[in-house]
Structure formats: structure tokens, C-alpha cells
Amino acid sequence: MDNIKLKKIAVCTGGGDAPGLNAVIRAVVLSCIRRGIECYGIRDGFNGILSPESYPQGGVVLLGHPNVKGITQLGGTILGTTNRGNPLHYPIQKADGTIVETDRSGEILQFFKQNEIAALISIGGDGSLLIAHELAQKGLKIIGIPKTIDNDLEQTVVTFGFDTAVSFATECLDRLHSTAESHHRIMVVEVMGRYAGWIALNSGIAGVADAVLIPEIPYQLEKVVEKISSLEKRGRTYAVIVVAEGAKPVDGEVTVLAKEIGRKERLGGVGEKVAKELSQMTGQETRVVVLGHLLRGGKPTCFDRLIALRFGAAAVRALEEGYSDVMVALESPAVKYVPLVSAIRRMKSVPLTCDTILTGRDLGVCFGD
Ligand code: F6P
């Protein structure tokens, strides 16, 4: 592909935040400055373009050295983000209170044309990458950068944010072991991850959990009770159980916390259910800890920072090399570009035969099956 000369590009972050977003933004901005390209940041997904009145200081701002100084190690995103506001299905409230979805993608394309911004780097999860692909199909030059703590995106070995989330969850499990042991309790720890069990699995194995319940293996609590009894026989008077928010019982459903128009259903509450049932089944005192959004905060680990910086710089190189409608991805040890269409509308679940599951089984971890 021929190198092209770019003058202006834009960058935005969409969906739930993940540690490493700021590192990507810094890499994008510095890679642009080095090439003489102006880089504009769009606030809160596409809202900076679609609702400029909400941003007195500008919904789209030129980013320079001062904006990205010292942000590599910061959690969150300096641009803000949203998991509402899909420009292709933009929720608009009518006078009678009902909400209708409108396609406002034309306004995005118009904005880029009018301001002579040649391309967009869109950092986001499955939802944002689908939007990116659809905008690319409508003619916008676009590079996607995969992000999610859930690690559930296809075509990339890993997404940044995941390592930070797993490291924090593991540290929490380490802390919970001692209090569970002191009080002879069953400690149930619910972690995020949506419909994939990556965070629960990796933190559960590293954090020496006795049972790990993930969406990919519907559970029977009788199996967990058997595990707890076998521990008791060896003199263990406590247990630590990790439950993914998307875990569900055999013949049961995921636990949904809320359903709202214009966004995905929110999961949560399965930890509470599991704890209650385990307490009834074993007669043992049980406590629940929901790690929730704590997993999304804090500074990115070294691994996540590096992936994020590499993805950001690679996205600018991809644009320069003339690519569009592709996603930057990790194929260890290299960073590559894959067609966006191959990464969207599918989910990377934990394969049941993956060696982390096999390792867990060899270590005696119960998966509820
Ligand atoms: O996709 C990231 C994630 O943190 C999921 O693990 C979780 O289900 C969801 O986002 C929570 O989203 P919200 O920010 O809307 O609470």
C-alpha cells in the first residue's frame, strides 16, 4: 500500500473505559505530531460532534503535547466516553417521553468533510468497532483499536485493560483468603466480564480460588458444595469462590441487573444468588464481594501500557500506509491489522479445552460441572 500524506485526523473513545485508553491517546497524538499531522480529540464517543452545545470548551479539540503529558499511567480517558449515543441508532427523546432511534451518521461524515479531517481512530469494544465498520462502509477512513477489560474480542490475542483487571482481581482474592480463613467463611467474589469468563478464570486460577464459575460452563452448585466438603475433610474451614457476572446455572439464565433502551443489558447479582444458595446448602456463613467497576479503574499494568502504546502508534502507521476499515490487533509478538468485519459481531469465549481450564482442573479447582 502507498504511504499517504495526512494533514488532520481525529481520535475518540467509546464504550466502557479500560486502563490503557490514555496511553493509546498519547501514542496517537505523539505519532501524529512527529509526522506533522494535527490530531483532534472528540469528546464522549461521538457526542462531541453530535451535541456540541453540551461542550462549552469544544466538543472536538486539537490535542497537543500539554494534553497528553503524564497520562500514560492514568486510568480512564481524557476524552471521556459513553456507552449510549451510537450515531447510527441515536436515542432521541420525544415530547411525550418516548425514545426513538435515529441514524445520525450523516452528521459525522459531514463534520469530517467540512473540517477536512481525513480519518478517524476509534478506540472501543465490540459496539464501538461495529460502529467504526459501519462508518467505514459509508466512506469514512477509519482504524479501530480494540479495548475491553473483558478480553472478549476476536482477532486479537488480548485487549489492553484485561491484564490490569485480572491483576487487581487477583490481589483482591489474595486479601480475601486471610479474612475468609480467619472467620471460617465462604467468600463469593463476583467479577465483571459480561458473557465471557476470562477475568474470572485468570484471576481465579492465579488467586487460588477453590471454585470458578464462568458463563462458558453452566454450573451446578451441588458440585461446588462437594468441593467445599472435600476441603473440610482436609481441615479447611473456608472457601473462596469466583463468579463471573455472566455465569448461569445449568438450565438457568444470566442474572440481569437492568435493561435500558439504547444500550446493552447490564449484568450483575449472580454473586449474591450463589452466596445465598451456598449458605443454605452448607449452613456455613457466607459473604459476597462485588468487584464491579473497581476492575476498570486505576493505572494500567506495564503489559497493558505497552500494548496500548503499541496499538496507538500502529493505528497512525496504518492510516499513513493507506489502510481503512481495519483493526489493530496483537498476534504475539507482532501487532497486525485485520479487517474490522472479521472482528465484530462475534465474541471470544473461553475455549473449554484451553490449557488454563485444564490447569485449573489439575489443581483441583471446581468449575461447577
Ligand atoms: O465491557 C466492560 C464492562 O465493564 C463489563 O465487564 C460490564 O458488564 C460492563 O462493562 C458494565 O458497564 P457499565 O459501565 O454500563 O456499568
Side-chain angles (χ1 to χ4, degrees):
M1 240 174 254
D2 293 334
N3 270 27
I4 54 168
K5 187 73 198 136
L6 296 157
K7 288 197 181 111
K8 292 182 190 179
I9 69 153
V11 61
C12 68
T13 51
D17 66 345
L21 281 170
N22 281 326
V24 179
I25 294 168
R26 177 166 168 265
V28 167
V29 170
L30 295 186
S31 301
C32 281
I33 292 174
R34 193 167 165 260
R35 290 166 170 77
I37 303 169
E38 288 181 4
C39 180
Y40 291 83
I42 308 168
R43 302 252 182 236
D44 298 334
F46 291 100
N47 285 349
I49 296 175
L50 297 177
S51 315
E53 68 288 353
S54 310
Y55 303 92
Q57 259 112 45
V60 182
V61 288
L62 179 62
L63 299 172
H65 284 288
N67 303 94
V68 297
K69 183 172 169 288
I71 66 167
T72 304
Q73 63 275 34
L74 291 187
T77 157
I78 58 163
L79 293 175
T81 187
T82 176
N83 38 23
R84 292 155 195 269
N86 176 345
L88 291 114
H89 302 277
Y90 201 82
I92 295 186
Q93 190 159 21
K94 296 206 304 192
D96 64 1
T98 54
I99 292 179
V100 286
E101 290 186 352
T102 316
D103 181 356
R104 298 186 64 188
S105 57
E107 294 168 57
I108 307 276
L109 298 179
Q110 184 63 9
F111 176 88
F112 274 79
K113 203 167 164 200
Q114 253 170 16
N115 293 283
E116 297 176 335
I117 300 178
L120 172 68
I121 293 177
S122 173
I123 317 166
D126 52 349
S128 307
L129 295 173
L130 175 60
I131 297 169
H133 172 63
E134 288 178 340
L135 290 175
Q137 294 294 300
K138 287 174 185 274
L140 188 63
K141 233 181 228 320
I142 203 157
I143 306 290
I145 297 186
K147 158 260 38 162
T148 167
I149 63 163
D150 304 336
N151 194 38
D152 60 352
L153 289 177
E154 274 294 351
Q155 298 292 339
T156 183
V157 171
V158 79
T159 46
F160 63 85
F162 174 63
D163 186 60
T164 309
V166 169
S167 303
F168 178 72
T170 304
E171 191 194 325
C172 292
L173 291 173
D174 289 348
R175 288 168 185 243
L176 290 169
H177 271 276
S178 58
T179 172
E181 180 164 23
S182 307
H183 286 267
H184 317 293
R185 282 173 173 158
I186 300 172
M187 198 61 83
V188 176
V189 186
E190 181 184 304
V191 296
M192 282 186 169
R194 227 183 269 282
Y195 306 103
W198 295 104
I199 298 177
L201 176 66
N202 285 22
S203 64
I205 302 301
V208 197
D210 300 300
V212 177
L213 306 181
I214 59 174
E216 292 83 351
I217 308 179
Y219 64 79
Q220 286 173 277
L221 280 188
E222 292 74 17
K223 300 289 177 188
V224 180
V225 173
E226 275 171 28
K227 172 71 190 177
I228 294 170
S229 309
S230 77
L231 292 173
E232 273 168 4
K233 286 194 189 103
R234 296 201 328 250
R236 264 274 294 277
T237 58
Y238 77 97
V240 175
I241 319 289
V242 176
V243 186
E245 63 178 1
K248 55 178 186 231
V250 170
D251 299 329
E253 292 304 322
V254 290
T255 313
V256 176
L257 197 62
K259 279 188 180 171
E260 292 164 41
I261 297 170
R263 51 171 301 171
K264 291 180 187 162
E265 62 184 9
R266 285 168 59 208
L267 304 182
V270 65
E272 193 68 49
K273 267 193 198 170
V274 164
K276 205 167 156 197
E277 287 175 43
L278 282 180
S279 168
Q280 282 161 359
M281 291 164 87
T282 62
Q284 216 170 325
E285 198 174 30
T286 307
R287 292 288 185 270
V288 193
V289 177
V290 179
L291 294 183
H293 295 83
L294 289 169
L295 296 170
R296 297 221 307 240
K299 54 182 183 179
T301 58
C302 165
F303 181 86
D304 279 343
R305 280 183 213 190
L306 206 49
I307 296 290
L309 293 167
R310 289 171 68 196
F311 278 6
V316 177
R317 290 199 302 273
L319 280 178
E320 192 178 47
E321 288 164 26
Y323 284 93
S324 178
D325 203 7
V326 297
M327 179 184 92
V328 175
L330 182 71
E331 190 181 62
S332 299
V335 166
K336 59 172 185 173
Y337 314 131
V338 297
L340 266 171
V341 75
S342 69
I344 54 176
R345 293 198 188 95
R346 58 194 80 182
M347 192 186 81
K348 185 174 70 185
S349 306
V350 174
L352 298 187
T353 51
C354 73
D355 79 280
T356 314
I357 297 248
L358 300 181
T359 303
R361 294 199 191 280
D362 283 338
L363 294 171
V365 175
C366 167
F367 288 100
D369 60 345

